[in-house]
């Protein structure tokens, strides 16, 4: 697996599918990798489940829609990042909580 340091995205391709960066390196176990976009409520659920398993998680706030006067400073989305070494365990927990894409 290759890792884009700009996007924190892992890929099997020689170019980052998000930003087009060609300077990718081999992913390391300690790298925080993009996992998913979640609503703040679901992020809190996921964060609690992972912390019970001693898995580190980072949630970066973002606005899924436009920023307006009424929602400024209260981003409702979270970009979720997990260390590469914990990705598989995090996927299992995610599927237990929210189901897999195959079930939808």
């Amino acid at each position: 697996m290759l890792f884009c340091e700009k996007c924190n995205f892992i890929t099997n391709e020689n170019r980052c599918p998000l930003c087009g960066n060609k300077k990718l390196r081999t992913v390391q176990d300690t790298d925080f990798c993009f996992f998913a976009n979640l609503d703040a409520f679901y992020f809190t659920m996921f964060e609690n489940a992972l912390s019970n398993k001693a898995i580190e998680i980072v949630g970066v706030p973002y606005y899924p829609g436009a920023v307006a006067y009424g929602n400024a400073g209260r981003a409702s989305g979270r970009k979720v990042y997990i260390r590469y070494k914990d990705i598989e365990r995090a996927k299992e927990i995610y599927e237990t909580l929210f189901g897999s894409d195959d079930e939808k």
Side-chain angles (χ1 to χ4, degrees):
M1 294 294 274
L2 297 175
F3 181 73
C4 176
E5 291 181 330
K6 290 182 181 181
C7 303
N8 288 56
F9 196 78
I10 52 176
T11 182
N12 287 321
E13 300 174 20
N14 291 330
R15 174 182 279 200
C16 177
L18 299 181
C19 72
N21 182 15
K22 292 182 182 178
K23 294 181 181 181
L24 305 180
R25 64 169 172 79
T26 303
V27 67
Q28 300 171 3
D29 283 347
T30 57
D31 289 330
F32 274 99
C33 303
F34 176 77
F35 186 79
N37 288 326
L38 290 175
D39 180 87
F41 175 77
Y42 294 113
F43 172 76
T44 303
M45 287 175 52
F46 192 46
E47 181 181 36
N48 288 335
L50 292 182
S51 68
N52 288 337
K53 301 291 184 183
I55 297 174
E56 292 179 87
I57 182 173
V58 173
V60 178
Y62 79 98
Y63 292 93
V67 179
Y69 182 76
N71 69 356
R74 294 181 292 280
S76 61
R78 299 291 182 271
K79 290 185 181 288
V80 180
Y81 298 88
I82 310 280
R83 289 202 189 272
Y84 181 70
K85 66 179 179 159
D86 297 320
I87 290 280
E88 292 305 315
R89 290 187 341 181
K91 283 180 184 177
E92 292 172 9
I93 294 168
Y94 181 90
E95 289 177 5
T96 300
L97 287 174
F98 309 117
S100 68
D101 288 338
D102 297 339
E103 295 174 2
K104 294 178 184 175

